[in-house]
Every structure is written in structure tokens, then in C-alpha cells.
Amino acid sequence: MASAAAESGRELPAFAGSRDPSAPRLAYGYGYGPGSLRELRAREFRRLAGTVYLDHAGATLFSQSQLESFTNDLMENTYGNPHSQNISSKLTYDTVEQVRYRILAHFHTTAEDYTVIFTSGSTAALKLVAEAFPWVSQGPESSGSQFCYLTDSHTSVVGMRNVTMAINVTSTPVRPEDLWSAEERGASVSDPDCQLPHLFCYPAQSNFSGVRYPLSWIEEVKSGRLHPVSTPGKWFVLLDAASYVSTSPLDLSAHQADFVPISFYKIFGFPTGLGALLVHNRAAPLLRKTYFGGGTASAYLAGEDFYIPRPSVAQRFEDGTISFLDVIALKHGFDTLERLTGGMENIKQHTFTLAQYTYVALSSLRYPNGAAVVRIYSDSEFSSPEVQGPIINFNVLDDKGNIIGYSQVDKMASLYNIHLRTGCFCNTGACQRHLGISNEMVRKHFQAGHVCGDNMDLIDGQPTGSVRISFGYMSTLDDVQAFLRFIIDTRLHSSGDWPVSQTHADTGEAGAPSAESQADVTPAVMGRHSLLPQEDALTGSGVWNNSSTTVNAVPVAPPVCDVARTQQIPSEKAAGVLQGALGPLVVTNLYLYPIKSCAAFEVTRWPVGNQGLLYDRSWMVVNHNGVCLSQKQEPRLCLIQPFIDLQQRIMVIKAKGMEPIEVPLEENSEQTQIRQSRVCADRVNTYDCGEKISSWLSTFFGRPCHLIKQSSNFQRNAKKKHGKDQLPGTMATLSLVNEAQYLLINTSSILELHQQLNTSDENGKQELFSVKDLSLRFRANIIINGKRAFEEEKWDEISIGSLHFQVVGPCHRCQMICIDQQTGQRNQHVFQKLSESRETKVNFGMYLMHTSLDLSSPCFLSVGSQVLPVLKENVEGHDLPASEKHQDVTS
């Protein structure tokens, strides 16, 4: 039975057979003939080659012809400020008004019924309603207005309550199940004479689960047949349509909500930062406004309290000059969408068809023991696009039913070049409801350090969020199958039966065989080896041996820890042989990484500065926008090999196929121009190392790059948790590292992972990874010869020679450990096996920080130095061998 379940889990249902035969046939594609959707992707979305983009609910993508059409418009016409009276300004004004009509037509209404107010997005539109709605405060003679919102609402809707609370208006959250029950019960409160204005907000489509709430609620609430709460008065309805209208038509002539906020980038990707509030003209006169900006006044006096607003509702609420070029871009968005797809109804059918098939396939996946592979969070059975949008929300489970943290799923997906969304999606209410998270648990999670948008995915084994995939008008069956193969390959592989990692050319979608080439979308059977992750092609220098060089450094004199001429020596360590675990704990290898994300520079003795090993991660490579590059975006960074010569005060940089180039270790303060950069959300002062090295890097990577260095007079302070044992009046400082000054790993931990990865097959032992290969992937500064795997996680402090360190926590690993540091090629199974073996977080290695450091005399770390750990207080001494029960030591 178990074997049958396993085989069934790997064979996905045929695309054509995934739908209910009795249901109306849905459309896939846009009816332009076989292969048309693939042609559309190749022509309009070439940048998606090799990529599976499944975050359309976050932001869909613009097409090439849409951008070209808009650019041509700008090149051929002169658009001036619409508040001026010249010819170019008149052209702008008239074009903007035409776009307003086009927006109304898109939603099947006219200016007779609705007004379009441009905003910076749907959030700004919601804020406008919250501030301008004619609320009546609660008082002795009035129960006051009510603000009601569905708990399955975006943060921006829930945030409206802070505006109402400030004016003593009651806010009431309404659960979906309560409103469904109220709908079944019918009208219960009626007082036609009461005209207290109340506002009910709900989403047409949940951005969390994709469930579509009845548009009929609009009229039912307005007419008094449905009451969100038992309060008499006049109800207005705000329909949050931002998620819904991205893939579905909305007919405002049939469903006349009073307020409809939207964001245009959700519909066709560009422009971002532009939205609108569609206001029904019967509700518009009720809106109140206090502030007035440029363009909103018919007349006003600067010296007296005299102000007459513009008669037009749009002009009254659009403070200042609107983003008129972005508004003009909307015309090209609507035109292109219509031309490519034939309209929103076709998009609705196409995207739901993909979602329905994915839902059926995911639901059918089973482990050999029959356990489900995923848990889907939904209020529908994906029966029709009337009740469900193209969003699937889920968590991945192990074969025991335990949830695998969304952060780990996200990291694994990125190895397959699959882009999805994780967390709670700015919808805490739906997240709580579907995941069973109580209010008290939310507070406990916050106290434990979890905040919205972080990667703290499990707390005490309970999920703090989930995984979401969503489809857009250019999504294909190839995208779906690539995603499903990813789930199968990472969850249903057999032990020791790893798919082989390969490098694909950028052809087709997701680097997978075209599903559309099958006759009328034929049955799709997914084997566990049928999808391989899209690799970053190695160009220019190709693949070469990038073994690190061992350097012995000896001291001379200050300023910091100046040393005599470095001498390169051949050593066993340089050849990749790690020390054994016999005898006392000692340092077996020392590495620094002068350029962040580039190759290691191995040494046997090296000076220590106040930021860690001298010159460790002092430089970084940035793109043309000044954004730091890491191996996650550019794996070939590991092929850049830096060498530091402390006597000559230079860094020599080498790469295969390139002439070596020298960079001075310190800046020329007179010629240096300081720039602002960011590292792990921290602001840092840096300077550019010059055009010569920039040209060298740009040639190697085939795109504009710069080398920048942290300014020597800039101090980047460590987070407070890292400074808990600093001497009074001191503060730990960091270079361009991610978290802490040092990273330590244990040889025994590497050997355990090595054993797990290199499993036996029918032909005997097959070594896929060497110990040296694995150790380099973890990019540690200090490697020790521990006695037992992961014993380092029980340490609170360590001493190495005369230096003392605080163990500040584990290193949460990302997909970079899947990159072979000597070739730049990816193999996702290091991350996957580590995830399976560690069960919770993918942790490997421990961060260290100085507890105290006296730089009045030179300080060094050396290979062979003894390591003395101090256990955490809650770890029993008998958990470790007697030789490891060290007492605290002082120098």
C-alpha cells in the first residue's frame, strides 16, 4: 500500500483530466492556435527564460511591447504639467482625462456613475477613504458610526481603524463565517429613519487564499438585507478590489460599491506606485477633506481663512501634480493587455485553469506512508473561478505531518529558480484563521523576535506563516509542471537516489520540456528526476580549479597588527585535507574572505582587528545601481580569488582567463569620495576602488560592476544581542559581514553531513562531495577538530589562545551552501539534506564575537591554537566528554 501511494504521488494527473467533467470547459491560453502562449512568452517575456515566476499576486509582470509602446509615446510627444495652460500641458490634461474614461470602461461603468481619483496605490486610496468618510463620533446622543471590516483583509484595510479610533468611532472585525451565517439568516435590523453612516470593507478576493467573496454582498449590505453588525443606519461598502481585478473582470454597473481601491501594477505590471480610488458619484459629495494642496483650490487667501475647493471630486482630492506620465502609461497597459489576451474574461479562465490543475496535483501528492506532502489553506474546492482566484496557499509537510518552515521552502525553490511568496502576505487575519494562530500566540511570536516579513517561520514547532503561489496572464503549464516537479524532487526522492545537477541553456520556460507541445495538453507524468534546477551559465573563464592558497604571516609592529612579508607555503591544508578529531580541540584551518562572496584566502596565522580577522570582508562587488552582489545572484563570484600582501599593502585579485590586478589595501583619503551603501539592512560608508578594477570585474562578469571598500573611519556597530558581554563603554563593530565578526564550524559536523550526502547505491559507494568541498561551501573563518557533530551548538563562550569569544548563535543557512566554491555550479542537495537532518532550521556553524580585545599589542589567530569552550548554563556537563568540561579561562 505504501509503495503504491509513493508511485501515485509521483504521477501527476493529466492536465485535461484534472477538471470536473460536469463543469463548464475552461480555456487555457488565448485561442491563437497551438503554441501561441509559448510564442507570447518568448516574444514578450524573454527575461523569464529559465525562470518560474509564481508571485503574480504580489506583482505581475509587464510585457516588452507594453513598455516599447509607452516609450515611443514619450519620444514622440511632449507632455507638460497639466496645471499649466500651454499646448503641451493641454495635451497632458486631455490625455489624462481620456485615461480616466478608459479605466471606467475597463470596469464596465461611465463617468455618470463613478469618478476616478488617482492615488499612489490602493493603500493610499484606503487611507483617503478612512480620512474623508463622514464618520459620526460616539457621544451622549448618538451611538456613532461603525467601521466594519472582514478579518480576511489586507493590512491596509485593518489600518483604517486607527483613524476611526482617533475620532471615537467603533471598529468591528467580522469573520467570514459570521457574515456567511448572517447572509443565510437574512435581515434582522431595520430602521429606515436612522441615517448614521457606517462603512463595511471586504475584499473581492482574499490575497491570502484566493477565495472570492460574493459581490452580491455589496447590494445586500447597502439595502439592509445583510448586516455586518446589528446596528441600524445607512451602510456604505468599500470593495477592496486590488487582488481581484489583477486576473478578473469587475462589472461596476452590476455591483455598485461606493468605494473601489485598485493598484494598476497588479493588472499589467507597470507603472508601479500608481493606483486609484473609484468613488460612486452618490457617495462622493459626502467625503470631507481638510488639507488642500496645489491644483485642488478654485480660490484661496494666504492671509485669511478663505478656501474654495475645485468642483470636480477628482481635482479636489488629487493634491499636487499627479504622476501624469505614469497615468499616460496606463493606456498602453490596457491596450497591450487587450491585444495579447482578448480581455479579462480570458485571463480569468486561463489563470483559474492553471490554479485548478495545480490544486488537484498538489492535493494528490503522498509520501510512501500515505501522508500528504502539502497542507492547502482554502475555503473552496477550486470548483469555479466565481469562488476561487488563481492563488494557492499551503505549507509543505514531512512524512510525519510536521510543517517544514516556509523559509526553507523558499530557499529550496530559489535553487530551482522558482519565485514564490512566503509569510502572512499582509493578511494577519486570514493567516491566523487558516493556521490556527491565536491572538496570544501572535503576541508570543512577537516577544520571541518574530516580525512581519522575517524568516522566523517556526516557533515551538508551530508555523508563523505559509507559502503562496499565484498565476498571471502569461503563466504557462510549463510553469506549473516545473513547480510540481520541484515539490516531487525535493520531497519524494528515495534515499541515496539524488537527481543529478546539470546546467541548462536558457531555452523555453523554466528549462523544462514544453507541456504545450503535447497534443491538446496531454497527460503529464512527473518522474522524480524530470526537473533540474536552472543553473547560472559559467561564461568567459569557464570552470577551473579555485583551491585556496595558504599563507603564513609573522608579526612586526603596530598600528593594528602589522606583519612582515607574507610567505606562501605549500601545505596539507591547502590541498584540502582537514585535521582529524584526536587530541585536544584545536584550530585546523583559518580563512578570510577579503571580498564579500568571493573566494576564500587561507592562512595559518593572521592578525586580528577590532572587526575580526584583518581585512575579512572589507570589500564587496556591487552592480551598476550600487547593490551588493552575492553568490545567490552571481555564483561566479566564488571564482574571483583575492590574495593579500600585508607588506606591500596590496590585494592581488586573480580569475581564470584574466590578468591579475592589484588593489591598494587602504584608500587615499584626499581623493576618496564616500558613498552610502547597504549591507544586511545596515547603512555603511564605502568608497569606489576605481575604474581599473571596475573594468576588470565588468569584463569578467559581462555586466557593469564596481568594487567598493568599507571606509576605514566608518564604524558599523553590531546588533545589541551581539554586544552583551562587551567591556563597559565598548561596542562590537563589524566589517561587511552579514551577522558577526567570525563564523566557526566543526570538522565532525562536516563529516556527519558528508556521510549523509554520500550514500551508497547499487554499485557501491558513490562520493558526490568531498570533505574539503563541503567545508568551503560553509565559508567559515575558523574550523576546529571537534569530537562530536554539532557539539559547538552547546557552547556559550570559547577561548582560542589568549582571545575570548562569545558564541552569539547559529548561522541560518541560505541557498549559497549549494554552490560549489571551486566551480560556481549549483547542487541543491546539500541544503536539502541539511534541512532533513537538522529537522528544524537549516543551521550550520556558530557566530562568534569578541568579548574583549586589547589592540595595544598585536593579536593573532593561528592554526594549531587550542580551543577551550564554556558550556551554556542549561547544558549538563555529562552531555560532553570529560575533556570538554572546561572552566571559564582568562588570559
Side-chain angles (χ1 to χ4, degrees):
M1 290 292 292
S3 176
E7 291 305 314
S8 173
R10 293 190 182 111
E11 294 183 6
L12 300 178
F15 178 67
S18 65
R19 300 187 293 270
D20 183 351
S22 63
R25 181 170 178 79
L26 298 172
Y28 172 75
Y30 302 109
Y32 301 141
S36 64
L37 193 53
R38 296 196 79 248
E39 293 171 4
L40 183 151
R41 275 281 286 261
R43 182 179 69 252
E44 297 283 355
F45 301 94
R46 285 179 295 179
R47 63 191 185 278
L48 283 180
T51 297
V52 180
Y53 184 85
L54 297 176
D55 188 26
H56 294 274
T60 198
L61 304 174
F62 60 82
S63 66
Q64 182 172 322
S65 61
Q66 173 189 347
L67 209 58
E68 289 173 348
S69 177
F70 173 52
T71 303
N72 291 337
D73 189 347
L74 296 185
M75 294 299 100
E76 295 170 2
N77 295 283
T78 301
Y79 292 109
N81 190 314
H83 291 165
S84 299
Q85 298 298 316
N86 58 59
I87 297 174
S88 59
S89 299
K90 184 66 165 58
L91 175 63
T92 302
Y93 178 83
D94 290 342
T95 306
V96 167
E97 294 309 303
Q98 284 299 123
V99 172
R100 292 189 206 270
Y101 298 148
R102 183 63 182 274
I103 293 169
L104 294 173
H106 182 80
F107 294 110
H108 304 279
T109 188
T110 69
E112 299 295 321
D113 291 324
Y114 280 89
T115 295
V116 177
I117 301 173
F118 288 115
T119 65
S120 63
S122 57
T123 293
L126 290 163
K127 183 171 179 284
L128 188 158
V129 174
E131 294 174 341
F133 189 79
W135 306 107
V136 175
S137 300
Q138 190 174 1
E141 299 180 359
S142 173
S143 60
S145 297
Q146 284 271 353
F147 169 54
C148 295
Y149 58 90
L150 208 65
T151 53
D152 187 355
S153 286
H154 193 277
T155 302
S156 299
V157 170
V158 180
M160 296 171 69
R161 73 183 181 198
N162 276 24
V163 176
T164 64
M165 287 168 58
I167 56 175
N168 200 25
V169 167
T170 303
S171 298
T172 305
V174 180
R175 300 184 307 168
E177 51 267 40
D178 292 340
L179 205 60
W180 279 319
S181 298
E183 187 179 23
E184 293 175 0
R185 290 194 304 268
S188 58
V189 178
S190 180
D191 184 355
D193 296 328
C194 182
Q195 293 297 303
L196 269 176
H198 307 304
L199 181 65
F200 173 57
C201 301
Y202 80 99
Q205 173 177 291
S206 169
N207 73 313
F208 182 92
S209 66
V211 65
R212 289 180 167 168
Y213 293 105
L215 296 178
S216 59
W217 283 357
I218 298 170
E219 183 55 33
E220 289 177 19
V221 169
K222 289 175 63 62
S223 66
R225 297 196 302 274
L226 177 64
H227 289 271
V229 293
S230 298
T231 303
K234 184 175 182 180
W235 283 93
F236 295 83
V237 176
L238 183 151
L239 181 72
D240 180 4
S243 179
Y244 182 87
V245 300
S246 62
T247 55
S248 284
L250 175 62
D251 188 347
L252 289 180
S253 67
H255 308 288
Q256 297 191 357
D258 297 289
F259 310 103
V260 183
I262 57 175
S263 286
F264 293 106
Y265 75 96
K266 302 276 188 181
I267 304 174
F268 33 67
F270 178 86
T272 58
L274 181 66
L277 177 66
L278 277 58
V279 183
H280 199 286
N281 291 336
R282 65 172 170 249
L286 302 176
L287 297 180
R288 302 173 302 192
K289 190 166 183 284
T290 51
Y291 172 82
F292 65 93
T296 65
S298 292
Y300 76 97
L301 289 174
E304 294 183 18
D305 185 12
F306 174 73
Y307 161 69
I308 304 299
R310 294 269 186 182
S312 163
V313 175
Q315 289 179 329
R316 194 185 316 156
F317 281 92
E318 291 172 353
D319 290 305
T321 301
I322 62 173
S323 185
F324 56 87
L325 293 182
D326 285 340
V327 171
I328 293 170
L330 299 180
K331 172 189 181 299
H332 302 281
F334 285 119
D335 288 348
T336 304
L337 201 67
E338 184 72 25
R339 176 173 52 82
L340 295 180
T341 68
M344 296 304 298
E345 183 62 34
N346 291 341
I347 294 174
K348 170 184 172 182
Q349 299 293 325
H350 168 75
T351 53
F352 176 76
T353 300
L354 292 176
Q356 186 184 56
Y357 170 62
T358 309
Y359 171 80
V360 171
L362 279 178
S363 301
S364 70
L365 294 181
R366 293 288 184 272
Y367 286 103
N369 64 1
V373 174
V374 300
R375 178 179 299 155
I376 297 175
Y377 305 110
S378 176
D379 288 310
S380 82
E381 297 295 326
F382 284 73
S383 57
S384 83
E386 308 308 318
V387 297
Q388 178 66 44
I391 293 174
I392 302 176
N393 197 303
F394 63 96
N395 267 316
V396 178
L397 311 174
D398 64 17
D399 58 1
K400 300 179 182 65
N402 300 313
I403 289 176
I404 297 169
Y406 61 73
S407 180
Q408 291 180 224
V409 176
D410 192 18
K411 291 172 182 176
M412 281 300 301
S414 69
L415 294 172
Y416 286 76
N417 215 1
I418 295 174
H419 302 194
L420 39 74
R421 181 82 174 264
T422 59
C424 271
F425 323 104
C426 295
N427 192 333
T428 299
C431 194
Q432 285 187 255
R433 175 169 167 263
H434 286 283
L435 274 63
I437 303 173
S438 67
N439 292 347
E440 184 57 32
M441 289 170 67
V442 172
R443 293 186 177 94
K444 285 181 61 178
H445 292 171
F446 176 73
Q447 292 169 358
H450 172 58
V451 297
C452 294
D454 68 12
N455 61 357
M456 193 179 290
D457 48 18
L458 294 172
I459 297 178
D460 297 331
Q462 298 301 310
T464 62
S466 54
V467 182
R468 184 185 75 184
I469 61 172
S470 50
F471 302 100
Y473 76 85
M474 76 295 297
S475 297
T476 67
L477 183 57
D478 289 334
D479 293 330
V480 172
Q481 293 190 338
F483 167 74
L484 293 171
R485 291 188 189 109
F486 153 68
I487 296 293
I488 290 171
D489 285 353
T490 55
R491 300 314 311 164
L492 296 178
H493 64 79
S494 300
S495 179
D497 192 14
W498 301 98
V500 180
S501 178
Q502 295 180 358
T503 301
H504 295 284
D506 285 343
T507 57
E509 284 97 22
S514 168
E516 294 176 59
S517 62
Q518 305 169 42
D520 193 30
V521 194
T522 55
V525 179
M526 315 262 171
R528 60 181 176 273
H529 304 315
S530 54
L531 175 72
L532 298 169
Q534 182 68 29
E535 303 291 346
D536 292 82
L538 297 176
T539 59
S541 61
V543 178
W544 63 294
N545 189 349
N546 186 31
S547 59
S548 48
T549 301
T550 301
V551 173
N552 183 35
V554 263
V556 234
V560 182
C561 291
D562 208 359
V563 296
R565 183 179 183 83
T566 59
Q567 178 184 0
Q568 297 185 14
I569 60 172
S571 74
E572 200 174 34
K573 302 177 195 66
V577 179
L578 289 169
Q579 300 294 330
L582 301 177
L585 290 176
V586 296
V587 175
T588 61
N589 301 77
L590 280 176
Y591 296 97
L592 62 148
Y593 305 84
I595 307 176
K596 187 176 177 70
S597 259
C598 290
F601 178 51
E602 185 172 12
V603 297
T604 56
R605 189 168 187 257
W606 196 255
V608 170
N610 60 1
Q611 296 177 340
L613 291 171
L614 193 63
Y615 296 116
D616 181 44
R617 294 166 172 99
S618 291
W619 292 264
M620 63 183 179
V621 179
V622 298
N623 67 9
H624 63 290
N625 290 321
V627 176
C628 176
L629 291 179
S630 76
Q631 290 183 28
K632 285 183 276 189
Q633 302 93 26
E634 182 50 84
R636 290 176 294 164
L637 281 165
C638 69
L639 305 179
I640 301 292
Q641 192 171 24
F643 302 82
I644 289 182
D645 189 323
L646 291 175
Q647 183 179 21
Q648 296 189 46
R649 312 295 293 171
I650 61 171
M651 175 172 62
V652 179
I653 305 174
K654 298 181 179 180
K656 186 67 177 289
M658 304 289 290
E659 289 294 322
I661 187 170
E662 296 179 2
V663 174
L665 294 183
E666 303 299 339
E667 68 264 37
N668 183 338
S669 58
E670 295 181 358
Q671 300 178 1
T672 299
Q673 182 176 355
I674 301 300
R675 64 166 68 182
Q676 302 282 302
S677 301
R678 286 180 68 83
V679 173
C680 296
D682 291 341
R683 178 187 61 83
V684 294
N685 284 356
T686 61
Y687 68 89
D688 195 304
C689 295
E691 285 302 317
K692 187 177 178 182
I693 182 60
S694 173
S695 176
W696 192 93
L697 290 169
S698 300
T699 299
F700 181 78
F701 290 116
R703 55 171 165 159
C705 294
H706 295 266
L707 183 69
I708 63 175
K709 183 178 186 291
Q710 184 171 339
S711 177
S712 58
N713 60 8
F714 176 79
Q715 180 170 297
R716 178 189 173 206
N717 294 328
K719 301 295 188 293
K720 288 184 179 179
K721 65 178 180 179
H722 290 165
K724 57 184 177 183
D725 288 313
Q726 293 293 306
L727 291 176
T730 66
M731 174 68 75
T733 59
L734 301 177
S735 62
L736 300 176
V737 295
N738 285 0
E739 298 259 355
Q741 294 167 336
Y742 300 87
L743 178 61
L744 176 146
I745 62 174
N746 175 3
T747 303
S748 295
S749 304
I750 298 172
L751 291 173
E752 180 171 298
L753 178 61
H754 177 262
Q755 183 177 13
Q756 293 168 347
L757 283 167
N758 296 303
T759 51
S760 299
D761 61 14
E762 59 184 8
N763 299 317
K765 194 74 174 178
Q766 180 187 23
E767 183 169 291
L768 300 178
F769 304 92
S770 70
V771 174
K772 183 68 172 183
D773 170 25
L774 284 179
S775 68
L776 289 175
R777 288 169 183 256
F778 292 106
R779 300 178 62 80
N781 298 110
I782 303 168
I783 300 182
I784 63 168
N785 64 337
K787 306 297 187 299
R788 300 196 311 184
F790 304 107
E791 63 181 294
E792 63 274 17
E793 295 181 354
K794 299 179 181 179
W795 299 344
D796 188 51
E797 302 173 18
I798 65 168
S799 295
I800 303 177
S802 63
L803 297 173
H804 305 283
F805 303 90
Q806 180 74 44
V807 179
V808 295
C811 178
H812 303 311
R813 291 298 179 172
C814 68
Q815 56 269 36
M816 270 181 60
I817 65 174
C818 295
I819 299 171
D820 186 326
Q821 295 299 295
Q822 301 189 62
T823 66
Q825 291 183 313
R826 284 191 177 106
N827 187 310
Q828 73 272 22
H829 305 307
V830 178
F831 186 93
Q832 183 173 340
K833 179 53 69 175
L834 189 61
S835 172
E836 293 171 355
S837 63
R838 301 315 309 277
E839 294 182 354
T840 54
K841 278 292 189 182
V842 186
N843 296 336
F844 198 96
M846 302 300 290
Y847 284 124
L848 308 179
M849 298 283 281
H850 293 299
T851 56
S852 62
L853 185 63
D854 182 6
L855 292 176
S856 60
S857 60
C859 305
F860 295 86
L861 274 175
S862 302
V863 169
S865 296
Q866 189 169 4
V867 178
L868 300 176
V870 176
L871 291 176
K872 296 177 181 177
E873 291 182 1
N874 60 347
V875 176
E876 295 293 334
H878 58 70
D879 287 345
L880 295 176
S883 63
E884 299 173 39
K885 299 178 187 177
H886 300 293
Q887 300 300 313
D888 196 5
V889 289
T890 58
S891 60

